[in-house]
Amino acid sequence: MAGGVGAAVMAPRLPRPRGMAVPARGARMIPRREEGVTHVIEFTFALTLFLIIIQAFSTTMDFRIGVDLDSNDNRIAAARSITHELAGSSGNASGTVDWETLEWGSGSPQLSAGLTVGLLTETGVLSLAKCEALAKFTYNGLRDELGTKDGLSVEVRTLSPDARVSFWGGDVSKATVSVTEERILLLRTADGDVPAKLRVTLFSGVTPDTTLRLTEVMYQPAAGTEWVEIYNPAYVAAEVDGWKLSDLAEEDLILGGDDETLTIPARSAAIVAASPTDFASRYPSVSYVFGLEDSAIGDGLGDIADTIALGYHSYSDALAYEDDDGAAGDGNSLTRDCPTCDGWAAAAATPGAV
């Protein structure tokens, strides 16, 4: 045997499996039992953290749901209160029950002075004139009078046929949450008293858009003053404070009388005239006539060509015209095809009637 007599017998050396790490000298091997305990601890910690997060989320949701339920309860109570006010009396403004004959923020007395908004006649049925007069209120104006900061709409419909009589307020279809209160009443019409439904809705939503539009221009009248018709397409009154009219040379603020808040009722038109007095004498049936700060539309509208613009801050609605477009001193005006259309055409003047 190699190595000589008496040599030590060596144990056979077994091959080490590939990829098996060799522990450093002095390192302690962790038994499998300890590894299992470590995994259990890690899992328990992760599960505990997960449950804490779920509980926090659940608590937040419960709070949010509670807030929403409280808000809806408040809306229900407010809708009932508003319906009671509207359907509970004839209303009163500065001592008169005929508040529908007054204007918002103009004249004396005014709609905004000590107003109770009631829609009934003295015999206890809905007054068509009062229902339609809601159109004179700005969105914030009527909400303030009725004591709510929620989105609001007020609608009156006949029952047979089911047809809208009047509507005031914001767009309920875009609301995320809404509450409606209804009251069945008789509505006095020219044909007699008919069953109708008063519907008050409070909701969470945006303020209605009261962007004004140019709809008719008399740039070269055969006689009298230049004038422009502006239209409010919203279902609430639009404030005109701060709006301007301009031509290519100059811009002017739209003005009313002394101490007036300028408004155009819902779905209605107003006239801005270089001379409101002259215009009113020629068209006495037009209710809303405003003037300008220097008694001219811009620098005076050109007879041959010009551009007129209605603007508020960055918004502008403009019409560029030439005398070839018509209405050049023949008594006609340039009239928009519809309030939201782009087309214009010469036609018989119809100020105030869109």
Side-chain angles (χ1 to χ4, degrees), residues 85-86 89-104 109-121 127-137 142:
E85 177 172 344
L86 294 176
S89 73
S90 300
N92 188 294
S94 300
T96 177
V97 296
D98 298 325
W99 60 264
E100 69 275 12
T101 63
L102 306 179
E103 296 297 332
W104 177 262
Q110 299 179 8
L111 275 179
S112 56
L115 176 66
T116 299
V117 187
L119 300 180
L120 301 185
T121 67
S127 163
L128 179 60
K130 291 180 188 291
C131 293
E132 293 175 341
L134 291 177
K136 297 180 180 182
F137 287 92
L142 186 56

Side-chain angles (χ1 to χ4, degrees), residues 122-321:
E122 293 182 352
T123 57
V125 300
L126 282 172
S127 163
L128 179 60
K130 291 180 188 291
C131 293
E132 293 175 341
L134 291 177
K136 297 180 180 182
F137 287 92
T138 63
Y139 193 55
N140 289 335
L142 186 56
R143 289 194 304 164
D144 289 346
E145 292 296 334
L146 295 174
T148 182
K149 295 188 180 299
D150 280 313
L152 173 65
S153 71
V154 180
E155 183 179 24
V156 176
R157 303 184 70 92
T158 55
L159 297 185
S160 182
D162 180 16
R164 175 179 286 180
V165 175
S166 67
F167 180 87
W168 177 97
D171 187 355
V172 182
S173 67
K174 298 180 180 179
T176 55
V177 178
S178 65
V179 169
T180 298
E181 181 76 10
E182 296 181 345
R183 188 77 58 88
I184 304 298
L185 298 159
L186 289 176
L187 171 69
R188 179 147 298 166
T189 69
D191 298 325
D193 295 348
V194 298
K197 179 189 300 182
L198 170 64
R199 176 182 294 165
V200 173
T201 302
L202 292 178
F203 58 92
S204 174
V206 298
T207 300
D209 180 10
T210 53
T211 299
L212 302 176
R213 304 280 286 175
L214 290 170
T215 46
E216 191 172 355
V217 175
M218 177 63 80
Y219 69 91
Q220 189 180 350
T225 186
E226 299 172 339
W227 53 266
V228 172
E229 180 185 78
I230 57 179
Y231 179 70
N232 169 26
Y235 284 96
V236 296
E239 296 188 57
V240 190
D241 293 336
W243 284 80
K244 298 178 180 180
L245 270 180
S246 64
D247 63 3
L248 290 174
E250 188 177 313
E251 69 175 14
D252 302 294
L253 277 170
I254 298 174
L255 301 176
D258 294 338
D259 301 323
E260 288 186 357
T261 299
L262 303 179
T263 56
I264 302 175
R267 314 287 288 180
S268 299
I271 299 298
V272 182
S275 172
T277 302
D278 179 82
F279 178 89
S281 68
R282 297 175 186 277
Y283 300 96
S285 63
V286 178
S287 300
Y288 299 91
V289 183
F290 304 136
L292 294 152
E293 57 185 335
D294 66 355
S295 300
I297 299 176
D299 194 35
L301 296 178
D303 292 343
I304 305 301
D306 210 336
T307 296
I308 183 169
L310 172 67
Y312 184 78
H313 295 311
S314 61
Y315 168 80
S316 179
D317 185 26
L319 168 66
Y321 66 85

